[in-house]
Amino acid sequence: MLAKPRGYCAGVDRAVQTVEEALKLYGAPVYVRKQIVHNKHVVSTLEAAGAIFVEENEEVPEGSTVVFSAHGVAPEVHEQARVRNLKAIDATCPLVTKVHNEAKRFAADDYDILLIGHEGHEEVVGTSGEAPAHIQLVDGPDSVDKVVVRDPAKVVWLSQTTLSVDETMETVARLKTKLPLLQSPPSDDICYATQNRQHVVKEIAPDCDVVIVVGSKNSSNSVRLVEVAVDAGARAGHLVDYASEIQDEWLTGATTVGVSSGASVPEDLVMDVLQHLAARGFGEVTEYTTAEERLTFSLPQELRRDMKAAAAAKA
């Protein structure tokens, strides 16, 4: 059973395309701060094309081009880029930018902001950096007891966009028991793609002996998909970067295998998995669709401006 929607979301597509277009326009090397998206294959493909991945702006030679990853950055990262005279192209997913803007707005109104997310995840670091004095991290339902706020009437929750929908709602329910006046974000923070991929896996998992999710271990939304599959009734769930990592014993005794992929995974890796499974007797593929995704995001404005100027110069 092949889950749909799966793979690339609009934010990932935009981020990867940003690096590809920057390489075409400015030539190699183009520096990228952090992994552009959390996928091993995508990163190594872009490296082969001339992208250089760094952890921090200090590693980028002064005056060079740097692309910020889809997960978003704190304001100080933009400031560091200015100081080093870097040409910064911000490939932050617009849905992450929405959460940043919510954080800024609630902080300006002097709210305590409870950010539901995973400690150390780049998206959480970036969002927290927008208003560090106002934001405290709530890492799952078990962290609720540690929450302390100044005024229980001025509290709002926001969340990382790639979390498990169910776990987030459980965390919110616990927070509301403790803080009955807790406000919710103006619109849902967990992104449409995360929700859609989890929803279809939930639908197919009860009929699957094993669910294989294509994705990298540092991809929050991919890791969640495996958890969602097992919670929804699959006998087992496994995360793989490549088809070659699938172990034959996972398939022993199985009659139905579910396949999905995280939001930063190219479709050819999924096709490789289907081929691998077909060679082991799982040749009949049924695609199970729960939503059609048509959302696209335009490239970052800094890049669009330069592409336009380059096209005009050629004309």
Side-chain angles (χ1 to χ4, degrees):
M1 295 186 81
L2 179 60
K4 186 182 175 187
R6 62 181 176 274
Y8 270 17
C9 61
V12 164
D13 201 18
R14 171 185 189 259
V16 174
Q17 220 186 321
T18 296
V19 180
E20 290 170 345
E21 292 296 338
L23 283 164
K24 274 187 223 164
L25 189 62
Y26 311 121
V30 164
Y31 292 84
V32 184
R33 184 185 176 277
K34 307 285 185 190
Q35 289 195 352
I36 186 70
V37 296
H38 287 154
N39 184 266
K40 213 155 106 176
H41 179 75
V42 171
V43 168
S44 58
T45 304
L46 291 172
E47 275 177 336
I52 295 176
F53 290 86
V54 297
E55 281 302 301
E56 297 299 343
N57 284 340
E58 294 86 81
E59 298 167 62
V60 182
E62 292 211 12
S64 300
T65 299
V66 64
V67 178
F68 296 148
S69 82
H71 310 104
V73 296
E76 66 196 40
V77 176
H78 286 280
E79 186 48 43
Q80 290 162 357
R82 272 194 290 276
V83 169
R84 291 183 62 76
N85 190 28
L86 302 178
K87 180 183 187 58
I89 297 170
D90 191 353
T92 300
C93 173
L95 299 177
V96 174
T97 301
K98 175 181 85 80
V99 181
H100 281 230
N101 291 338
E102 288 168 355
K104 286 190 278 197
R105 197 171 81 248
F106 283 109
D109 291 339
D110 202 29
Y111 273 73
D112 277 339
I113 299 164
L114 306 178
L115 178 62
I116 301 171
H118 296 305
E119 182 143 22
H121 189 277
E122 281 157 49
E123 189 185 322
V124 163
V125 173
T127 304
S128 301
E130 294 288 1
H134 290 264
I135 292 177
Q136 54 184 305
L137 183 64
V138 182
D139 197 339
D142 297 340
S143 304
V144 170
D145 294 344
K146 295 186 220 127
V147 170
V148 180
V149 298
R150 295 168 300 158
D151 177 356
K154 283 195 85 169
V155 192
V156 65
W157 69 270
L158 302 177
S159 87
Q160 184 183 327
T161 61
T162 55
L163 299 179
S164 152
V165 179
D166 293 343
E167 189 188 340
T168 303
M169 292 340 295
E170 189 191 331
T171 306
V172 171
R174 281 217 209 169
L175 284 169
K176 283 190 169 162
T177 305
K178 182 172 180 159
L179 300 160
L181 299 176
L182 178 71
Q183 291 188 36
S184 298
S187 63
D188 199 345
D189 283 349
I190 295 178
C191 93
Y192 77 95
T194 299
Q195 294 189 47
N196 287 346
R197 280 148 194 68
Q198 288 178 17
H199 178 64
V200 64
V201 163
K202 254 188 209 172
E203 292 279 311
I204 66 171
D207 298 322
C208 296
D209 299 300
V210 58
V211 171
I212 291 169
V213 175
V214 188
S216 292
K217 288 183 177 61
N218 64 337
S219 162
S220 177
N221 77 86
S222 302
V223 171
R224 294 295 86 72
L225 282 177
V226 178
E227 292 170 0
V228 165
V230 174
D231 288 348
R235 197 183 69 202
H238 300 282
L239 185 67
V240 297
D241 267 298
Y242 298 102
S244 58
E245 295 169 20
I246 296 170
Q247 294 176 28
D248 285 346
E249 54 263 35
W250 298 348
L251 308 173
T252 306
T255 53
T256 304
V257 179
V259 175
S260 185
S261 58
S264 44
V265 176
E267 181 67 1
D268 54 344
L269 298 184
V270 177
M271 293 302 117
D272 289 348
V273 165
L274 295 182
Q275 273 190 331
H276 182 97
L277 292 171
R280 283 152 184 79
F282 297 90
E284 190 189 322
V285 179
T286 304
E287 189 168 55
Y288 191 95
T289 307
T290 53
E292 292 292 340
E293 293 180 350
R294 295 193 175 86
L295 185 67
T296 56
F297 294 130
S298 54
L299 292 170
Q301 58 183 18
E302 314 90 349
L303 184 59
R304 287 203 315 270
R305 198 172 50 232
D306 286 358
M307 286 167 76
K308 206 169 165 182
K314 268 186 187 167

